[in-house]
Amino acid sequence: MTLIKSISGIRGTIGGQPGDNLTPIDAVKFAAAYGTWLKDYSKKEQLKVVIGRDARLSGQMIQNLVASTLTGLGIDVIDLDLSTTPTVEIAVPLEKADGGIILTASHNPKQWNALKLLNERGEFLDAEQGAVILQLAEKESFSFAEVDDLGTTTRNDSYIDIHIDEVLNLSLVDVETIKKAKFKVVVDGVNSTGGIAIPKLLKTLGVEVVELYCDPTGHFPHNPEPLKEHLGDICDLVIKEKADFGIVVDPDVDRLAFISNDGEMFGEEYTLVACADYVLGKTKGNTVSNLSSSRALRDITQKHGGTYEAAAVGEVNVVTKMKANNAIIGGEGNGGIIYPESHYGRDSLVGTALFLMLMAEKGGTVAELRASYPSYFMSKKKIQLTPELDVDGILTAMADKYKNEEISTIDGVKIDFAENWVHLRKSNTEPIIRIYTEAKSQSEADALADNIINEIKEVAGI
């Protein structure tokens, strides 16, 4: 059983002892800390917060606790009930709210839940703001409202439809173009809210939908992280149904993966590549992803005459760099599409619409599209160190060892070689260095990772 407190929110397993798991007491304490911070941050007399949840089993309980805590602080709540992370992000500014809370543990299994915290723009809080909330929760520095000043809760379950309308109104989305293509698509909604939102969007766009695990019961039929080893059912069904492709989302619908028409993974890393290819083909501009994302985005960006930049890992870091570099599309290699014309958050509905436009205009199959992109392969490994070792010192030594290569130290150590790269990141909770590599073949990526692990062991003297 686990409780993880970080600047981006609180995440844990349901049940057990307070302080060790995400119990009702922990949910109330953290919601109170957020509400208390928001009252001080906004300086407004009456505040409004949007909340929404994915379909996991503990969602209704956590939602009730969070909503009651906020109203207990005198804050009004707009309750979207079953929703998606990007839907809540869109709702915050549309409602002119002061913040938002998304109740989801993203790709984690069903025993997990979390509170993800948004500002008045519907974007994730920065590190400084998150640190203040953690301090408030630790000190339990709360002052609740008197009876005449309690907040109210208003239910609004129309926001998935509003979100879809926002997607259809994007300048690069043409409904008639997609309808004419007469696509057939299989959707795996992992029995969460993606099973509501994605089929509804597709049907509005004239797509024939085959639904798989789209009943939002919260009983995830497989590990909800959209990785190849978890997706055998949809891969088989795409072939059986002779579908054009498949769509897989995680429980809160901010990660998007495609299955090609041949039943093979399109590759989460290539979700962003494909969407950027379409957007950059229509609008000249720049892109951003994080340091651990595929080099293929850089290649596609440069092909279209744009500039690519890499940010530290974490959505808030990607968004910050996108704003600084006027990026017109960006995101993360885990299938997270951030399209600023819509909003600064990972959004699978936006990504789906952009991908449909790309396929409708290009023609051909999804497998042919994937084959047209630069081909890279990733390896993800880790090395366990003893607690007494200086992990930061080891990373500094590795950076010095490769000082004649292109080096980034904004988030661990990223070493860019001519034909491949390696990214070394330390764990914040245990003496582990994570090693991410990318190369032109899987064997090269694995070999590079193994070589770096051996070099780390030499530097560490182990």
Side-chain angles (χ1 to χ4, degrees):
M1 307 295 275
T2 310
L3 183 67
I4 301 171
K5 303 172 186 177
S6 72
I7 56 173
S8 59
I10 186 169
R11 175 167 51 104
T13 48
I14 299 299
Q17 298 296 313
D20 293 330
N21 310 277
L22 184 55
T23 68
I25 291 171
D26 296 288
V28 167
K29 186 163 70 171
F30 204 74
Y34 172 72
T36 300
W37 167 79
L38 198 60
K39 290 168 74 171
D40 182 64
Y41 171 75
S42 68
K43 308 296 184 187
K44 288 169 64 175
E45 289 209 9
Q46 190 58 48
L47 300 179
K48 182 167 35 173
V49 170
V50 176
I51 65 171
R53 65 181 177 93
D54 69 15
R56 63 186 61 235
L57 301 175
S58 60
Q60 184 72 65
M61 176 191 73
I62 299 294
Q63 175 183 291
N64 291 339
L65 291 164
V66 169
S68 295
T69 301
L70 293 175
T71 57
L73 287 164
I75 298 171
D76 292 335
V77 170
I78 306 296
D79 179 8
L80 307 190
D81 198 42
L82 285 174
S83 190
T84 78
T85 286
T87 304
V88 177
E89 291 170 343
I90 280 177
V92 170
L94 288 178
E95 287 290 325
K96 297 181 171 58
D98 303 286
I101 301 179
I102 307 152
L103 309 172
T104 173
S106 193
H107 62 273
N108 290 109
K110 68 177 183 179
Q111 64 265 35
W112 289 80
N113 213 328
L115 282 67
K116 294 184 177 181
L117 310 177
L118 305 176
N119 62 21
E120 75 281 3
R121 296 184 300 276
E123 299 167 15
F124 286 110
L125 305 187
D126 62 31
E128 185 178 341
Q129 293 166 336
V132 172
I133 291 169
L134 287 175
Q135 290 172 359
L136 289 169
E138 188 69 29
K139 295 177 182 176
E140 299 189 18
S141 303
F142 318 133
S143 179
F144 290 94
E146 297 183 6
V147 68
D148 291 327
D149 299 318
L150 295 174
T152 61
T153 297
T154 304
R155 176 80 171 269
N156 186 339
D157 58 6
S158 66
Y159 258 97
I160 286 179
D161 291 327
I162 294 170
H163 187 176
I164 290 171
D165 288 340
E166 292 282 310
V167 173
L168 301 183
N169 288 330
L170 292 171
S171 60
L172 293 186
V173 175
D174 183 77
V175 176
E176 291 308 311
T177 296
I178 295 172
K179 284 184 176 180
K180 287 176 184 175
K182 299 186 182 303
F183 290 116
K184 181 179 183 180
V185 175
V186 180
V187 178
D188 180 351
V190 74
N191 284 345
S192 189
T193 50
I196 302 171
I198 298 296
K200 186 174 280 194
L201 169 67
L202 292 173
K203 290 170 185 176
T204 305
L205 291 166
V207 176
E208 181 183 350
V209 179
V210 179
E211 296 186 10
L212 174 69
Y213 308 136
C214 285
D215 187 11
T217 61
H219 290 284
F220 304 149
H222 55 75
N223 185 308
E225 188 166 14
L227 302 177
K228 180 178 181 178
E229 56 265 33
H230 307 148
L231 301 177
D233 290 351
I234 187 173
C235 291
D236 292 342
L237 192 56
V238 166
I239 295 173
K240 179 182 176 183
E241 290 286 341
K242 296 182 172 59
D244 292 291
F245 61 97
I247 293 175
V248 184
V249 292
D250 64 340
D252 69 324
V253 203
D254 62 359
R255 288 176 63 175
L256 173 65
F258 297 117
I259 311 299
S260 296
N261 54 291
D262 57 3
E264 296 296 323
M265 293 292 294
F266 188 75
E268 265 195 313
E269 291 287 336
Y270 286 83
T271 300
L272 177 55
V273 173
C275 291
D277 187 22
Y278 172 67
V279 171
L280 293 169
K282 301 289 184 180
T283 312
K284 297 300 180 187
N286 305 324
T287 65
V288 170
S289 64
N290 67 38
L291 285 167
S292 292
S293 296
S294 176
R295 190 177 276 186
L297 179 62
R298 182 204 65 178
D299 295 351
I300 290 296
T301 304
Q302 292 175 349
K303 185 190 85 169
H304 286 289
T307 300
Y308 166 78
E309 296 284 346
V313 174
E315 183 173 326
V316 67
N317 298 318
V318 173
V319 167
T320 298
K321 188 164 282 284
M322 286 181 69
K323 291 178 178 179
N325 294 351
N326 296 313
I328 61 172
I329 189 168
E332 297 182 306
N334 60 8
I337 306 298
I338 302 175
Y339 187 48
E341 185 183 321
S342 178
H343 65 113
Y344 278 105
R346 295 179 298 169
D347 191 329
S348 295
L349 279 74
V350 169
T352 295
L354 295 176
F355 188 78
L356 286 166
M357 284 299 300
L358 176 67
M359 288 305 304
E361 292 194 353
K362 269 188 178 288
T365 68
V366 171
E368 289 167 346
L369 175 70
R370 175 63 181 82
S372 73
Y373 291 135
S375 193
Y376 293 102
F377 297 82
M378 279 192 172
S379 177
K380 298 180 181 181
K381 301 190 178 186
K382 62 185 178 182
I383 179 169
Q384 180 84 43
L385 304 172
T386 55
E388 64 270 13
L389 287 173
D390 179 7
V391 178
D392 289 322
I394 292 170
L395 292 178
T396 300
M398 291 298 293
D400 186 62
K401 180 180 177 68
Y402 288 99
K403 61 186 176 184
N404 293 326
E405 305 291 343
E406 185 180 338
I407 297 282
S408 172
T409 56
I410 61 172
D411 182 8
V413 177
K414 171 85 176 278
I415 309 165
D416 267 296
F417 302 104
E419 296 296 323
N420 47 47
W421 57 258
V422 58
H423 186 198
L424 311 176
R425 299 183 73 230
K426 72 170 186 175
S427 168
N428 292 323
T429 57
E430 50 188 332
I432 285 175
I433 294 178
R434 302 187 189 279
I435 299 101
Y436 305 90
T437 63
E438 184 177 65
K440 292 292 183 70
S441 71
Q442 192 62 56
S443 61
E444 290 177 65
D446 291 337
L448 176 59
D450 291 338
N451 288 340
I452 291 293
I453 288 172
N454 289 333
E455 290 179 3
I456 290 171
K457 289 180 177 179
E458 288 178 17
V459 168
I462 55 176

